[in-house]
Amino acid sequence: MQEKAFAIIDQSHEQMLKLWSDLVNMDSGTTYKAGVDAVADRIEAELKAIGFKTRQVVAEKAGNTLIAEYGDCSKDFIFFTGHMDTVFNNPGETIRRPFTIDENGKVTGPGCLDMKGGVVIGIWVGRALKACGWSDRPIRYILSGDEEVGHYKSTNAKEILEE
C-alpha cells in the first residue's frame, strides 16, 4: 500500500503544483473574509471531488472553517488540521508577489509554506490513502479560516475543539 500511495503522489506532481499555485495566488489575509472563504471553497471542491463529505462552519467576521470527512469519524480517525488564512493582509499582495519557483526550486508567494503548501500535501495524502483502499481509520480535515489571529473574531477555536 505504501508504494502505491507514494506512486500516486509522485504521479500527481503537476496537479499538486497547480493547486498550490492556485491557493497561493488567492489573497486570503486574515482580515479578508471573502478571500479566505474563496480558498475554503476551492479546497472543499478538491475534497468533494475525491469523495469527502464537507461542510463549512460560517463565521460572520472571520474566514469560515472547513470540515471534511471520509468514513465514520465518530470513532478513531486520522486527523489533518491547518488553516487557510495568511498574515498578508494587503489587497493585491498576490499580484505583487505571485506563486513563483526560482531556478533553484525555491517557492515563494504569500502563504506558500504557512500553510497552503501543507494543505496541498494533506489533500494528496488523503487522496492517495483513499485511492489505495485505505480503510483502517476514517479521515477528517479541519481547516480554520482565522488561525493567524487566534480566532478572536469567531468561534472557530470552539468549533475545532468540539470536532
Side-chain angles (χ1 to χ4, degrees), residues 68-143:
E69 299 175 334
Y70 183 73
D72 178 7
C73 289
S74 64
K75 307 171 194 168
D76 292 339
F77 50 87
I78 296 173
F79 180 54
F80 292 95
T81 187
H83 62 93
M84 303 169 290
D85 60 322
T86 72
V87 297
F88 302 97
N89 284 315
N90 298 325
E93 187 69 25
T94 58
I95 293 169
R96 287 188 290 280
R97 295 187 321 110
F99 181 90
T100 305
I101 303 174
D102 72 14
E103 65 277 354
N104 298 314
K106 181 181 177 182
V107 175
T108 57
C112 65
L113 297 178
D114 180 18
M115 159 116 231
K116 293 175 179 180
V119 169
V120 171
I121 291 168
I123 289 169
W124 252 268
V125 168
R127 182 185 295 264
L129 287 173
K130 189 174 174 300
C132 290
W134 171 268
S135 61
D136 290 1
R137 288 193 174 82
I139 302 169
R140 176 181 278 170
Y141 294 85
I142 300 178
L143 302 173

Side-chain angles (χ1 to χ4, degrees), residues 1-2 7-8 11 19-20 23 28 30 38 46 52 63 76 78-79 86 88 91 109-110 112 116 120 136 147 151 159:
M1 183 179 290
Q2 181 178 349
I8 290 167
Q11 294 164 5
L19 178 59
W20 192 12
L23 295 179
S28 58
T30 299
E46 287 289 323
F52 280 75
D76 292 339
I78 296 173
F79 180 54
T86 72
F88 302 97
C112 65
K116 293 175 179 180
V120 171
D136 290 1
E147 181 272 345
H151 317 292
E159 304 292 340

